[in-house]
Amino acid sequence: MRISMFQNAIRQLLACSRQSSSTRYAELLDPQQTRRVLHGTAASITAFVCQFVGSDQTAASLQWLQYGQRQAQRYSTAGHNSPKITPAIEVQLHRMRQRHADLCRQLADESAAQLTPKQLGQINKELSTLQPVVDALRILSEQRQEMNDLEGVLRDSPDDQEMQRMAEEEQQQLQQQIPQLEEQLLLSLVPPDETDQRDIVLEVRAGTGGDEAALFAGDLLRMYERAAALNGWKFEIVEMAATEEKGGCKSASATISGHGVYGRLKYESGIHRVQRVPATEASGRVHTSAASVAILPQADEVDIHVQPDDLRVDTYRASGAGGQHVNTTNSAVRITHIPSGLVVAMQDERSQHKNKAKALKVLRARLYDQDRLAKQQSMSAQRKTLVGSGDRSERIRTYNYPQGRVTDHRVAITEHGIDSVMSGGRLAVFADALQVRHQAEVLAQLDGQ
């Protein structure tokens, strides 16, 4: 993940500095070369970047050289911001290893025969979680011991050049392998989010900006539809309030189903801002508009059980374009959840039963998200460490059409080539960066415990 993000940063650097020859580009995209560079210091990464920029001391070259230095500091795994196994985390790892040993002894003891199937299942589940950490700790310990042995060889045999050469080669390999293993070990400490594998309900609403905001909301909806198609997910419109302007919508809801949908799109929640010249603007003045996006994990009936007595269901005649069923039958449905006051209306289907089923699906998703956010807010210390928590009022991203760039303000990453973002192909750049940032914040919290 880190390699692909670094390569993307250099792609931007090459494109904007106009120094991208095919030979240099091939060298850049070589995974072994990039991995080797990334395990150096920030200074060595800067040197690597500079060879692609050139030595022309123009303002543009200096500007992009500074950009390359910032990327070096951001992506260096040897820099001061790199995740490290600190003494506090060492204590956490020792506790996990001790817990693993205790569970193994418990299963090997004669008293294990008296455990219930439920207790055995819980023990095996915990062991399966701890086993990768214990294995990685064992390998890391072996490699650290081997590194100490090599240092002893170099110290004890200064006159044996062949031995010195072989020891230095092995030492260089270990110097590359140990940071990788440490990073993998640290990432294994980040607890998985159980909701990451869920399907989602996507809600897009036009904000400030009038018709232009509605057009932008429609653009965002189509961006997520294309992203779903690229990832092999199923995209289905649930509700849409279209505007008279072609392609615009005041609000829209859709479901996206597939493997790991919520985990990839959960950071999209928030306020998206656009800067561009509207089609109706005769003077060519750039306008700023906004739209809000909400990503809600879908809830099953098992997760959220809605009591029928808590619902008020109203039926009415559908309005707008749609054929003979409009204004002739009570096919539209409005469901009010009395305890929470949430209201969901649906009229897209000709059948009242289908509209009711869709409305219940959206209602369950909103109730589940409400319950999930309430639990997160109760853990205020953890919530403060989260980046891109999905707060609806958070301005997360700006789409600047005149300059052809998209900037995510949470991680200060700018993606040049706005068309590739709006086509859904480059959303993963932001998702990867936010995931790395979230992992770093969780590890920092573990270090402070």
Side-chain angles (χ1 to χ4, degrees):
M1 180 186 301
R2 189 185 298 274
I3 289 174
S4 63
M5 290 168 61
F6 178 74
Q7 289 175 340
N8 177 66
I10 305 298
R11 283 192 187 96
Q12 297 174 23
L13 176 63
L14 293 177
C16 296
S17 64
R18 299 179 180 178
Q19 297 288 331
S20 54
S21 67
S22 58
T23 304
R24 289 179 171 182
Y25 211 72
E27 181 183 357
L28 163 69
L29 296 181
D30 176 40
Q32 296 298 327
Q33 167 75 354
T34 308
R35 185 177 291 107
R36 184 162 56 252
V37 171
L38 277 176
H39 282 95
T41 62
S44 65
I45 296 180
T46 303
F48 176 74
V49 171
C50 288
Q51 67 177 312
F52 293 103
V53 181
S55 58
D56 183 16
Q57 298 298 307
T58 62
S61 292
L62 291 174
Q63 175 186 356
W64 288 105
L65 174 58
Q66 292 170 359
Y67 173 83
Q69 291 172 334
R70 291 197 300 272
Q71 297 303 325
Q73 290 288 348
R74 175 177 297 166
Y75 296 110
S76 171
T77 58
H80 64 279
N81 291 325
S82 307
K84 296 182 182 299
I85 299 181
T86 62
I89 292 180
E90 287 275 12
V91 172
Q92 297 276 349
L93 292 171
H94 175 73
R95 289 174 180 171
M96 296 175 74
R97 182 164 49 191
Q98 188 62 42
R99 176 61 178 168
H100 179 271
D102 292 342
L103 291 174
C104 289
R105 281 194 295 269
Q106 187 176 350
L107 288 178
D109 193 83
E110 295 180 355
S111 60
Q114 301 175 0
L115 295 174
T116 65
K118 182 178 180 180
Q119 290 173 326
L120 283 172
Q122 290 174 342
I123 292 175
N124 286 323
K125 182 178 180 180
E126 189 174 357
L127 277 174
S128 65
T129 303
L130 294 172
Q131 191 65 51
V133 178
V134 173
D135 291 342
L137 272 172
R138 176 180 52 79
I139 297 173
L140 179 61
S141 178
E142 291 173 355
Q143 290 188 347
R144 285 175 171 175
Q145 182 60 47
E146 188 175 351
M147 178 69 78
N148 292 333
D149 294 342
L150 289 171
E151 290 176 355
V153 170
L154 291 172
R155 184 176 57 254
D156 297 339
S157 56
D159 299 330
D160 191 337
Q161 295 184 358
E162 182 63 20
M163 181 67 72
Q164 290 274 322
R165 184 186 63 80
M166 293 174 60
E168 287 175 354
E169 289 179 356
E170 292 184 25
Q171 195 176 48
Q172 288 177 0
Q173 292 179 358
L174 288 173
Q175 286 173 347
Q176 293 181 4
Q177 294 172 2
I178 289 177
Q180 292 177 9
L181 189 59
E182 287 179 343
E183 186 173 353
Q184 293 173 7
L185 185 58
L186 285 168
L187 293 181
S188 68
L189 297 178
V190 179
D193 188 343
E194 62 178 13
T195 59
D196 281 355
Q197 300 304 317
R198 290 181 180 268
D199 301 335
I200 67 166
V201 172
L202 163 70
E203 295 184 345
V204 180
R205 297 181 184 278
T208 56
D211 291 340
E212 172 61 15
L215 289 172
F216 180 53
D219 291 340
L220 289 177
L221 184 66
R222 286 184 288 276
M223 177 182 73
Y224 295 120
E225 183 176 9
R226 297 185 190 109
L230 291 172
N231 287 280
W233 300 330
K234 181 182 178 182
F235 184 95
E236 182 182 2
I237 295 290
V238 175
E239 180 188 15
M240 185 170 180
T243 62
E244 294 182 359
E245 291 286 342
K246 186 177 180 181
C249 68
K250 295 179 181 178
S251 63
S253 298
T255 59
I256 304 179
S257 307
H259 177 68
V261 176
Y262 182 73
R264 297 303 292 169
L265 295 181
K266 61 183 178 181
Y267 297 112
E268 294 296 309
S269 290
I271 303 299
H272 296 240
R273 187 179 67 171
V274 62
Q275 295 172 329
R276 64 185 178 185
V277 179
T280 56
E281 175 61 49
S283 62
R285 186 166 56 92
V286 174
H287 288 226
T288 299
S289 306
S292 65
V293 173
I295 304 293
L296 311 177
Q298 282 194 35
D300 300 325
E301 294 185 21
V302 177
D303 301 314
I304 295 294
H305 181 66
V306 180
Q307 296 287 349
D309 295 341
D310 292 339
L311 301 179
R312 184 174 69 246
V313 181
D314 302 314
T315 60
Y316 57 97
R317 294 184 178 182
S319 60
Q324 294 181 352
H325 76 292
V326 174
N327 292 324
T328 60
T329 62
N330 291 337
S331 58
V333 174
R334 182 190 302 109
I335 299 179
T336 303
H337 185 249
I338 298 172
S340 65
L342 289 175
V343 179
V344 179
M346 201 68 57
Q347 65 172 20
D348 285 16
E349 298 289 343
R350 295 174 179 270
S351 164
Q352 183 184 114
H353 297 292
K354 290 183 179 179
N355 280 327
K356 183 178 180 181
K358 282 189 172 183
L360 282 172
K361 178 184 288 188
V362 174
L363 178 64
R364 275 196 296 266
R366 291 181 182 175
L367 288 171
Y368 179 76
D369 187 61
Q370 195 177 68
D371 180 66
R372 187 176 60 86
L373 291 177
K375 291 178 180 177
Q376 287 183 354
Q377 287 171 350
S378 67
M379 303 169 65
S380 57
Q382 177 180 355
R383 187 172 178 80
K384 288 179 182 178
T385 67
L386 298 179
V387 174
S389 59
D391 186 349
R392 305 294 183 263
S393 63
E394 181 184 5
R395 188 196 67 171
I396 64 169
R397 198 172 295 154
T398 295
Y399 302 73
N400 189 306
Y401 276 78
Q403 298 180 15
R405 59 178 173 81
V406 181
T407 299
D408 195 293
H409 303 290
R410 296 163 293 182
V411 284
I413 285 184
T414 296
E415 179 72 8
H416 293 273
I418 194 169
D419 291 338
S420 62
V421 175
M422 299 307 294
S423 65
R426 303 298 297 168
L427 281 179
V429 172
F430 304 116
D432 290 344
L434 288 161
Q435 184 67 23
V436 169
R437 180 69 179 271
H438 167 66
Q439 291 167 345
E441 294 289 343
V442 173
L443 290 173
Q445 184 190 19
L446 287 174
D447 189 28
Q449 290 178 352

